[in-house]
Amino acid sequence: GDVGQLFSIDESLKELAQLADTAGLKVVGSTYQKLASPNPRTYIGSGKVAEIKSAIHALGIETVIFDDELSAGQLRNLEKSFGGDVRVCDRTALILDIFNQRAATHEASLQVALAQMEYQLPRLTKMWTHLERQAGGQVKGMGEKQIEVDKRILRTQIGVLRKELESVRMHRKQYRSRRFSVPVPVVSLVGYTNAGKSTLLNQLTGAEVLAEDRLFATLDPTTRRVQMKNGNEFLLTDTVGFIQKLPTMLVAAFRATLEEISESSLLVHVVDISHPLAEQQIEAVDKVLSELDVSSIPKLMVWNKVDKVSDPQHIRLEAEKRGDVVCVSALSGDGLDEFCNAVQGKLKDSMVWVEALIP
Ligand code: GDP
């Protein structure tokens, strides 16, 4: 596929395997093929289809996941080639599955449902022409009409969902403004999934937030109260994590979950500094943040998993050079006092701002 530009095929497939794991699947292997252009019927070439088919029989494989989006026709042809019981899906459908499993709030559920319908809409056409062909052409034209009817129904449902989502968001805003009448600063954690955001949250608060080596362990914003040694406190909010190759159609839905951070007192950008693509991930997060209305909010970067890097001394020097970076190990608790002090310092700066604004 077209993954060669920013992320290597290996990195992309590794992330896909993590996603599959998150969805509760056991990954037994992966393969890829270099083609000038994807096969319009089966995405991969016929040789590769045969190779995967024999692996399916040898290993008892139940699901085959493709890293790029497949058309409805390709999905159907692949399922036919692999045999009846094998489920074929693409990255987008897999992510939608995970979002569906993890959607804990009404708002998240609505967003997932919306994305699922938008995913289905362009795939309706081929499904119906397929049925038409199965019926031996006797119902010619019927399929076409049915597509139009179905598309209209789906578009109406999409419209209804959009409205409902808007109203849910309005109510959340009201809830938020009530929360903000309490003079406790809100600190939001942002960053890639697996960066260690929930581990950090747990270490700081002892709250029971799902932390596991899985993507999207934290789909919905989760807020906890952190009490520092000096008695001061702040609210710490976890946000949905980024992924390297988020399908375009899911971007809007999941950027919406980040809207809440525009009302924070401080943004903490958590980075897995042991990750080979840490630098690219930092840039990607910064890019999204620059597109949200958060430029006036102070920021602090946390380089997490320093226990995992080969040369921690070098990392600490880099962090010092860069400034506004705290090195921690959320797992061992190393550096968490420094982290709290840095948060305190940043919040003090922003409190001065708040006081200056109040006449
Ligand atoms: P999130 O998706 O950003 O919330 O990440 P999690 O908190 O779920 O962490 C993802 C994985 O990284 C888990 O397996 C954690 O145990 C692991 N992890 C988190 N922090 C550290 C750390 O400081 N060091 C190491 N070695 N692993 C960590």
Side-chain angles (χ1 to χ4, degrees), residues 185-197:
V186 174
V187 177
S188 292
L189 298 175
V190 295
Y192 264 79
T193 45
N194 256 40
K197 298 186 301 303

Side-chain angles (χ1 to χ4, degrees), residues 192-200 210-214 217-218 238 304-308 328-332:
Y192 264 79
T193 45
N194 256 40
K197 298 186 301 303
S198 15
T199 308
L200 187 63
L210 198 62
E212 42 188 15
D213 197 4
R214 290 185 160 192
T218 46
D238 200 359
N304 188 33
K305 308 198 189 181
V306 281
D307 59 287
K308 248 178 109 180
V328 307
S329 167
L331 201 61
S332 73

Side-chain angles (χ1 to χ4, degrees), residues 96-110:
L96 281 169
D97 260 11
I98 295 165
F99 286 171
N100 209 18
Q101 285 173 14
R102 300 286 171 126
T105 65
H106 187 42
E107 185 180 345
S109 302
L110 290 176

Side-chain angles (χ1 to χ4, degrees), residues 12 50 56 91 103 120 202 268 298 302 314-315 319 341 357:
S12 189
I56 287 169
R91 175 180 267 259
Q120 277 166 11
N202 288 349
V268 172
V302 169
H314 169 74
I315 292 294
N341 289 337
L357 288 172

